[in-house]
Amino acid sequence: MPKVYDAEDIVDQKNRMKRRKRQRQFICILLAAIIGVGLYFTRDKWYNKLRGIGEQYRTIVNSGQLAEGNFPIEVSGGADYQLCLSGKRMILLSDTYTYYYDTDGGLLKRRQHTYTNTVLRTSGGRSLLYEQGGNDLSVENEDQVFYTKTFAKNQIFFARLSEEGYTAVVTTSENYSCELVVYDKRGEVIYTRQCIEMVSDLSFIDGSKGCMLSYISAENGQLVTKVQKISFSEKDEQWTSPGLNTFGLSVCGYENGAFVLGMDACGYVDGSGQISSYYSYDGEFVSGASENGNSAVIVNNEDRRKYVMALFSGADAEALIIELEEPSIDVTIYEDLAYVMCQGKIMAYDFSGGLRSVAGVSDSYTGFVRSDDHIFLKGYNKIDRIDYES
C-alpha cells in the first residue's frame, strides 16, 4: 500500500529543500567573496600578466625604414660623440658643441663648451655636462644654463643628475678617498659626505631624498661591490650591504632595493640591504640596463657561439635567459620592455620572455636610444631614426 503524506509533511519537506538551497547559495556567495578579496590583495602578482594575455604572443614587425627629412644627422669627429634623450629632446655632445634637437631632427640650439674629456648625462628635461678628471660642470637645457660649478681643489670622478633636477658630484678629497656633494635644482648645496671608501657609482632614490652608493673593495683577495643607502636628511647611512663578488660598473636604485651591474656578474640587494639574487655571466659582458627594478644584461660567448640576454623582473627573480641568434650590441629598458640590438635587428621582449616586436636594421650601427615612437640609431658619424611600435 503506497505511503500517504499529510499536508504538514509536504510543507516541512519543501521548507527543508528551500533552506538547503539558501545554504548552498550563501556558501557560493561566501566563496566568491573570499576569492575576490584574495585576488584583490594579490593583484600586483597577477594583474600585469593577465593584462597581456591575448597580446603577448602577437609580435609586431616594424619596417625598419630609415626616416628622411632631417635624417641622417651628420656628426663630425667620428664615434666619440654622445647621444641622450630627455623628454622630447635629443641631446648630442661632440668634442666642442652641445646640440639640442627635437625628435624630428630639427636643430633647436647649439651651445659651445670648452670642457675636455666631457661626459653627458640627461634627466627630467635637463642636461649635465662635466669634465671627468677635471674641475667644471654645468646643468642646462636648450634655453638656458641653470648653473655651473668649479671645484678648484678637487677633481671630478663622476656626477649624476636626477629626474627632479638634483645633481650629485663625487670628487677627489685631500683627507678621504672621495667626497660627495649634492645640489638641488637651483644649485644650492643640500648634502655633503666624506667617504672612507671609494664611491664607484650612485643612484638617486625616493624622489631625490636620498641615494644608493656603491663601493669597490677587496675581500679575501677578490674585488667586491657593496651598496649603501643614505638619506640626505640623516648623517649616518641607513644600511650597508655585504659585498657582491664582482667589480661593480653601476648601481640602479629603486623602491625595494638596488641592482648592481658588474663586469663579470650582477645581482640585487633588497630593501634591508641583503643580497637577494646573483647571476654570473657565461661569456663577455656587453651591456646592461635597469629601470624601476627591471633589469637586462647581454653577454656574448664567441668561443661557444652563444649569445644571451638575461632578464630580471625584480630583486627575488631568477634570471630569465633569452637565447639570441646573433651577437648582441646594445640593450636598454623602456616602459617595462627590454630592447636588444643584435647584428641586423632590434627586438623588444617583455619580462616574461615574450617577443613583442622586431625591426631589421643595418649591421653598421653601434648602439641605439629609444623614445616614445622612435628608435635613434647611432652610426660611426651619423644618427638615423626609425619608427618603432612595441
Side-chain angles (χ1 to χ4, degrees):
M1 180 177 180
K3 188 175 182 179
V4 178
Y5 295 92
D6 58 23
E8 292 182 358
D9 292 336
I10 294 175
V11 171
D12 289 341
Q13 186 177 11
K14 288 184 176 180
N15 287 337
R16 286 195 298 270
M17 293 176 62
K18 289 180 180 179
R19 285 196 297 271
R20 285 196 294 268
K21 183 177 181 180
R22 286 195 296 269
Q23 288 175 348
R24 288 194 296 267
Q25 290 175 339
F26 175 76
I27 291 173
C28 290
I29 293 172
L30 182 62
L31 288 174
I34 293 173
I35 293 172
V37 171
L39 289 174
Y40 176 80
F41 284 106
T42 60
R43 65 191 184 277
D44 291 339
K45 297 182 179 180
W46 58 265
Y47 177 71
N48 289 333
K49 295 180 181 179
L50 182 64
R51 185 174 58 180
I53 292 177
E55 297 181 359
Q56 59 183 338
Y57 298 110
R58 175 176 172 261
T59 301
I60 299 172
V61 179
N62 293 276
S63 69
Q65 182 176 356
L66 300 179
E68 298 180 350
N70 294 318
F71 291 95
I73 297 173
E74 301 292 336
V75 183
S76 61
D80 290 334
Y81 69 89
Q82 298 172 54
L83 176 68
C84 295
L85 291 180
S86 186
K88 296 293 184 180
R89 297 292 181 258
M90 182 172 59
I91 301 97
L92 188 153
L93 178 72
S94 72
D95 55 349
T96 53
Y97 286 93
T98 307
Y99 300 89
Y100 291 86
Y101 296 89
D102 60 28
T103 54
D104 291 325
L107 180 61
L108 304 173
K109 184 77 174 184
R110 185 184 73 167
R111 183 177 292 123
Q112 189 173 17
H113 66 81
T114 58
Y115 298 163
T116 57
N117 199 21
T118 316
V119 178
L120 170 68
R121 291 276 179 163
T122 62
S123 187
R126 293 186 173 197
S127 301
L128 165 66
L129 284 75
Y130 68 92
E131 288 184 299
Q132 189 172 33
N135 308 98
D136 299 305
L137 66 79
S138 67
V139 177
E140 58 188 62
N141 64 11
E142 73 270 21
D143 296 322
Q144 61 180 311
V145 176
F146 295 104
Y147 60 85
T148 62
K149 298 292 178 182
T150 297
F151 301 87
K153 297 181 179 180
N154 298 340
Q155 294 180 326
I156 300 172
F157 285 126
F158 66 87
R160 299 290 182 260
L161 182 65
S162 78
E163 188 70 24
E164 292 77 21
Y166 287 52
T167 303
V169 188
V170 176
T171 69
T172 58
S173 174
E174 184 175 346
N175 299 315
Y176 296 88
S177 293
C178 63
E179 294 184 10
L180 168 64
V181 184
V182 181
Y183 302 94
D184 64 15
K185 59 184 179 181
R186 295 180 297 275
E188 301 295 329
V189 175
I190 63 165
Y191 183 83
T192 60
R193 187 180 187 88
Q194 286 75 38
C195 304
I196 298 175
E197 294 182 286
M198 184 64 206
V199 177
S200 59
D201 193 24
L202 67 83
S203 175
F204 285 94
I205 56 171
D206 299 332
S208 296
K209 296 177 182 178
C211 69
M212 295 286 188
L213 303 174
S214 62
Y215 297 92
I216 306 295
S217 60
E219 291 183 0
N220 300 321
Q222 184 175 358
L223 289 176
V224 300
T225 302
K226 297 179 181 180
V227 179
Q228 190 174 82
K229 181 179 181 181
I230 63 173
S231 170
F232 299 147
S233 61
E234 300 176 12
K235 180 179 179 180
D236 296 328
E237 65 272 12
Q238 296 184 358
W239 50 253
T240 301
S241 77
L244 284 85
N245 293 327
T246 187
F247 182 90
L249 301 173
S250 65
V251 61
C252 303
Y254 67 107
E255 182 180 0
N256 297 319
F259 176 74
V260 176
L261 179 65
M263 185 174 294
D264 51 11
C266 62
Y268 280 91
V269 175
D270 64 23
S272 60
Q274 299 303 307
I275 298 173
S276 56
S277 68
Y278 181 81
Y279 174 73
S280 181
Y281 311 148
D282 180 19
E284 182 180 355
F285 168 77
V286 178
S287 184
S290 186
E291 183 177 284
N292 298 325
N294 292 328
S295 305
V297 178
I298 51 176
V299 177
N300 291 338
N301 190 326
E302 292 290 353
D303 294 336
R304 298 173 57 188
R305 296 291 190 270
K306 184 178 180 180
Y307 318 108
V308 302
M309 176 170 64
L311 300 177
F312 308 87
S313 57
D316 299 325
E318 294 185 0
L320 176 62
I321 303 301
I322 305 296
E323 295 187 359
L324 306 172
E325 297 178 355
E326 302 292 339
S328 57
I329 298 170
D330 197 8
V331 66
T332 193
I333 295 175
Y334 186 81
E335 293 187 348
D336 296 327
L337 293 178
Y339 294 80
V340 57
M341 172 184 279
C342 295
Q343 291 182 357
K345 58 186 172 182
I346 294 177
M347 299 169 288
Y349 288 87
D350 59 36
F351 282 83
S352 297
L355 178 62
R356 296 289 294 273
S357 53
V358 64
V361 296
S362 167
D363 289 344
S364 63
Y365 297 109
T366 59
F368 70 99
V369 179
R370 177 74 165 107
S371 73
D372 287 341
D373 303 311
H374 315 294
I375 283 181
F376 298 93
L377 303 166
K378 297 190 290 185
Y380 174 75
N381 58 357
K382 67 176 182 177
I383 298 169
D384 282 306
R385 193 196 77 183
I386 60 173
D387 295 335
Y388 198 98
E389 181 183 0
S390 299

